[in-house]
Amino acid sequence: MAGAARGRLGNILPSGIALPHAVAAQATGRQLFQKIPPEKSGIAWRHVNGRSPQYYLPETTGAGCAFLDYNNDGWMDIYLVNSGKCDFYDPQPPLRNALYRNNRDGTFTDVTAEAGVGAGGYGMGVAVGDYDGDGWQDIYVTQYGRNILYHNNGDGTFTDVTEKSGVAAPGWSSSAVWFDYDNDGRLDLFVCRFVKFDKSLNQFCGNEMTHERYYCYPKVYEPEPSWLFHNNGDGTFTDVSRESGIAAQLGKAWGVVATDINNDGWMDLFVANDTVPNFLFLNGKNGTFQEIGLAAGVAYSADGRARSGMGVDSADYDQDGWEDLFVTNVDEEMYSLYHNDHDLTFEDMAGPMGIARVTLLMSGWGVKFFDFDNDGNVDLFIANGHPDDKIQEHSVGVMYKEPLLLFRNTGKTFEDVSAQAGVIFTEDFAARGLAIGDFDNDGAIDALVAVNNAAPLLLKNNAAKGNHWLGVRLIGEKGNPDAIGARVTWQSGDLKRSQLKVGGGSYVASHDPRVVLGIGSRTKIDRLEIRWPLPSARVDTFTDLPLDRYITITEGEGITSK
């Protein structure tokens, strides 16, 4: 296995890809990501967890966040999820979620009240998608208690359609993802469900001698099945959790990503579970899923232990044409980078790729693969923070608040560049949700980090300056409207890259739906190919392409706006 690992490292990406800007950043100390303070951004909202003497577990597991374009003006807006009223918490005055409209000048305006998306329950996360295909992004809010589906009315307002749609999913939900599991061209909905919990079931965890409480390790709570809702095409959904095979698997689900692990055109699901084995749901192409996590090698650690899986993502980090997987865990468990071995099995490469050692004493939540410097290589951003705010009192070397991590894909390994990435990486946070998106439309993908019981972090990306790019918004016609499952392939001289448009990923977060194609210092994209998702599987090819701007490509119609 060691020999195979060494051989793989030497062949991750074609040679000769220069990284001048990342190297320059290390030499000059330039901030690769720079925090935009609230007085500049206008984002005054903050998360409140309602921390109580009883240490109810939901208090430490939020909050979520999203980049979305709710008003279709081509600029990313922001949605932030707060705690709120539930059986153990009744804040006065009431708390609310927040929707911030992008003013296109680096500032945002709070439009929550006029949009009607304040929610008010004990929120966890958010998933954004155009479930009815009307061209406007809708918002699904996951909560402890029951969830909310907000339909976008197309006029700056939303309507709560939860009851009509049938997607309330009672219980304790965490992450959710929109994807088309049956390839009928409509977005279906998978909802992660965590443990069986309510106020009456709250357990004492802590020092029995002193009666001092800590937040519980989830082993003390019973697992629950997650939800799968089929989109009926009329604004309603059918709960198909049981007949699909999803409900047969009891888990403690935190994060989910929809990806295609076997290149058959049918979207699969990788689900991170806490203290029980992770799930890998293989799409049976007949409305059912087979859970293959154990056989695939992604259910347990290398020594056979169930870990505390939280955030997940999927990307083809080595450009071999197969989607790889990533999962974050808590301290002393290390995170896993699962390389796809092309036969429905995976090998954990976190050790040889330089990630395991860095993350040994950390606890990760939000995580996302993206090309932060637009050199054509997919990099990795991780938001960290321990779930127990008293961990320092009963553990050595582990902190509650932890730094963000940034790994640069060199083509041979993932290099930890956090120490050279800017001031924000020297600070510590109880970070949870992580969303990525280009809020200022400069082609450099920015980050939004939700922090438990604190203000969010809006991080501007400065790392991609000088490198060229093309941003693409994909609109499906026969395929699902968000083009989840589309494969984008581009070539610029000696550089050839391919990217699957996955659904979801990270933890309780939703991302800019646009795809940014980085080409480094090269000055032309020679060819762009879009393979649209089933049921069409249509392939559109483009050669006369602009650079350093966003375009919209509609399935079957070509470039519909530049």
Side-chain angles (χ1 to χ4, degrees), residues 372-392:
F372 75 81
D373 53 2
N374 281 342
D375 69 343
N377 296 350
V378 62
D379 310 299
L380 189 63
F381 194 116
I382 309 176
N384 307 284
H386 200 278
D388 181 3
D389 64 0
K390 288 188 176 180
I391 187 66
Q392 290 154 246

Side-chain angles (χ1 to χ4, degrees), residues 64-254:
C65 56
F67 279 114
L68 74 162
D69 183 8
Y70 83 96
N71 56 356
N72 277 350
D73 66 351
W75 294 74
M76 287 298 113
D77 311 298
I78 285 174
Y79 191 76
L80 300 161
V81 180
N82 215 340
S83 308
K85 186 175 182 179
C86 65
D87 60 352
F88 63 79
Y89 187 45
D90 188 9
Q92 297 298 330
L95 300 173
R96 62 172 177 83
N97 297 356
L99 176 63
Y100 280 94
R101 185 186 65 228
N102 192 326
N103 297 324
R104 312 183 201 180
D105 60 1
T107 69
F108 294 80
T109 297
D110 188 338
V111 295
T112 313
E114 62 196 72
V117 291
Y122 203 95
M124 286 285 139
V126 54
V128 177
D130 180 10
Y131 75 87
D132 58 349
D134 65 355
W136 299 86
Q137 291 190 302
D138 309 299
I139 300 174
Y140 186 70
V141 180
T142 62
Q143 302 188 134
Y144 161 72
R146 67 185 293 279
N147 302 335
I148 302 172
L149 177 59
Y150 288 115
H151 175 262
N152 191 330
N153 299 322
D155 60 0
T157 70
F158 291 77
T159 298
D160 182 342
V161 294
T162 312
E163 293 305 319
K164 173 191 174 184
S165 65
V167 292
W172 181 356
S173 298
S174 51
S175 299
V177 61
W178 295 101
F179 77 121
D180 182 9
Y181 78 89
D182 57 351
N183 285 333
D184 64 354
R186 297 189 293 264
L187 288 175
D188 309 301
L189 181 65
F190 179 91
V191 183
C192 289
R193 190 172 182 182
F194 196 49
V195 297
K196 186 176 182 179
F197 183 89
D198 61 35
K199 182 179 180 179
S200 69
L201 297 175
N202 193 45
Q203 301 287 316
F204 175 85
C205 297
N207 188 323
E208 294 184 358
M209 298 285 290
T210 64
H211 304 291
E212 181 185 16
R213 283 184 178 269
Y214 313 138
Y215 282 115
C216 285
Y217 194 49
K219 267 189 179 297
V220 302
Y221 295 110
E222 296 179 14
E224 291 275 37
S226 290
W227 303 83
L228 180 64
F229 295 99
H230 177 261
N231 189 333
N232 299 323
D234 60 359
T236 70
F237 292 76
T238 298
D239 179 2
V240 294
S241 310
R242 188 175 299 276
E243 50 265 51
S244 66
I246 296 295
Q249 307 298 325
L250 300 182
K252 302 178 183 181
W254 279 138

Side-chain angles (χ1 to χ4, degrees), residues 345-397:
T345 69
F346 293 78
E347 182 180 356
D348 191 349
M349 298 295 292
M353 292 295 285
I355 294 172
R357 176 185 55 82
V358 177
T359 62
L360 176 60
L361 295 179
M362 302 189 75
S363 300
W365 298 85
V367 56
K368 205 76 180 103
F369 285 108
F370 67 103
D371 181 6
F372 75 81
D373 53 2
N374 281 342
D375 69 343
N377 296 350
V378 62
D379 310 299
L380 189 63
F381 194 116
I382 309 176
N384 307 284
H386 200 278
D388 181 3
D389 64 0
K390 288 188 176 180
I391 187 66
Q392 290 154 246
E393 299 177 16
H394 53 88
S395 185
V396 177

Side-chain angles (χ1 to χ4, degrees), residues 1 11 23-25 37 49 68 90 138 147 248 281 293 305 311-312 316 340 342 346 353 358 481-482 495 510 521:
M1 295 292 284
N11 294 284
V23 173
N49 67 1
L68 74 162
D90 188 9
D138 309 299
N147 302 335
F281 288 111
R305 292 181 298 113
V312 296
D316 181 8
N340 190 327
H342 312 173
F346 293 78
M353 292 295 285
V358 177
D482 290 2
L495 178 77
S510 197
S521 59

